[in-house]
Amino acid sequence: MAHITIRKAQGTWTVRAGGAVLAETQNALELTEGSHPEVIYFPRGDVAMAFLDLSDQKTTCPHKGGAKYFSIVTKSQTLLNAAWSYEDPKADVAAIKDHLAFHASDTVTVEEV
């Protein structure tokens, strides 16, 4: 099994897209899986869910479980499958339940502020 570590991310984290702040939290989780770059998970309550539309995309991770994807709707564009969430994660990663992660890209910024 891949080695997965989840810990509280230090500081305040934000997600921005389309000129808007989609999330800001001091309660982010940092998930590290094997040699992959760490992923920041935001509590759902700290995410502006009005900007997110559930998409049809789903994936399954053997270590984390099934993920649902969300597209980010901004004033100028829709960023397809830019966020994901494990609604019912496996027991080893239960801490990420009710959290969302975002694909950082040219149009989506995930950063510590």
Side-chain angles (χ1 to χ4, degrees):
M1 176 167 173
H3 183 67
I4 296 177
T5 305
I6 300 172
R7 65 175 186 247
K8 185 178 185 322
Q10 297 301 305
T12 301
W13 286 83
T14 63
V15 177
R16 287 186 173 82
V21 176
L22 302 183
E24 183 171 337
T25 189
Q26 294 181 339
N27 298 305
L29 296 176
E30 183 180 278
L31 182 145
T32 307
E33 182 173 0
S35 61
H36 297 288
E38 68 273 344
V39 176
I40 301 298
Y41 281 80
F42 291 78
R44 192 175 288 251
D46 292 338
V47 176
M49 295 302 291
F51 288 102
L52 302 183
D53 279 347
L54 187 62
S55 78
D56 292 333
Q57 180 163 325
K58 293 180 175 67
T59 59
T60 301
C61 169
H63 309 297
K64 295 187 290 286
K68 291 184 175 180
Y69 285 76
F70 297 84
S71 296
I72 298 172
V73 180
T74 71
K75 288 178 187 155
S76 57
Q77 62 186 327
T78 297
L79 308 170
L80 296 176
N81 304 316
W84 69 94
S85 176
Y86 291 91
E87 307 290 312
D88 188 22
K90 297 196 172 192
D92 288 350
V93 293
I96 62 172
K97 183 174 174 61
D98 298 324
H99 286 66
L100 288 120
F102 295 83
H103 286 292
S105 66
D106 292 343
T107 51
V108 179
T109 305
V110 178
E111 64 184 351
E112 184 179 1
V113 293

